[in-house]
Amino acid sequence: MGFLYADIYVILCRNFCDFTNGVSPGVNIFPECNKNHELNDSTKDELIKSVPLQSIGTPDDIAQAVLFLVNAPYITGQIIAVDGGRSLTLKGG
């Protein structure tokens, strides 16, 4: 993820650096609408336990972060992790 993030940041910064912010969602939605990718209960429980807030985020959580950035004109060049703190507990995070 670090390599991809760096590439995207360089590309965006060359063109839009004064206005670029991003939201990095974590475990937010389980793929239950697609039976081929549905997670079993054990896997869901493992994912939930890996999140410090012990819950799964919602699309509304992501929308709130986007609205915050839209309404904060002095914030630029930032990526906000909307992941319940999970990125803080991952190796290399």
Side-chain angles (χ1 to χ4, degrees):
M1 183 170 131
F3 180 72
L4 179 62
Y5 168 76
D7 286 345
I8 292 171
Y9 181 78
V10 168
I11 291 167
L12 291 175
C13 199
R14 285 184 186 150
N15 297 302
F16 310 104
C17 199
D18 291 339
F19 307 104
T20 304
N21 289 307
V23 173
S24 176
V27 180
N28 288 295
I29 303 172
F30 290 133
E32 294 175 347
C33 60
N34 184 340
K35 295 295 180 188
N36 294 329
H37 297 101
E38 187 173 356
L39 302 176
N40 62 41
D41 289 339
S42 174
T43 303
K44 288 179 188 178
D45 289 342
E46 285 180 43
L47 284 171
I48 290 170
K49 288 178 184 174
S50 73
V51 177
L53 292 182
Q54 298 291 298
S55 65
I56 298 302
T58 66
D60 188 56
D61 294 322
I62 298 166
Q64 288 179 25
V66 171
L67 286 173
F68 169 76
L69 289 172
V70 166
N71 290 303
Y74 200 65
I75 296 175
T76 187
Q78 301 303 308
I79 305 294
I80 296 179
V82 182
D83 64 359
R86 186 168 188 251
S87 59
L88 299 173
T89 64
L90 299 174
K91 289 184 180 179

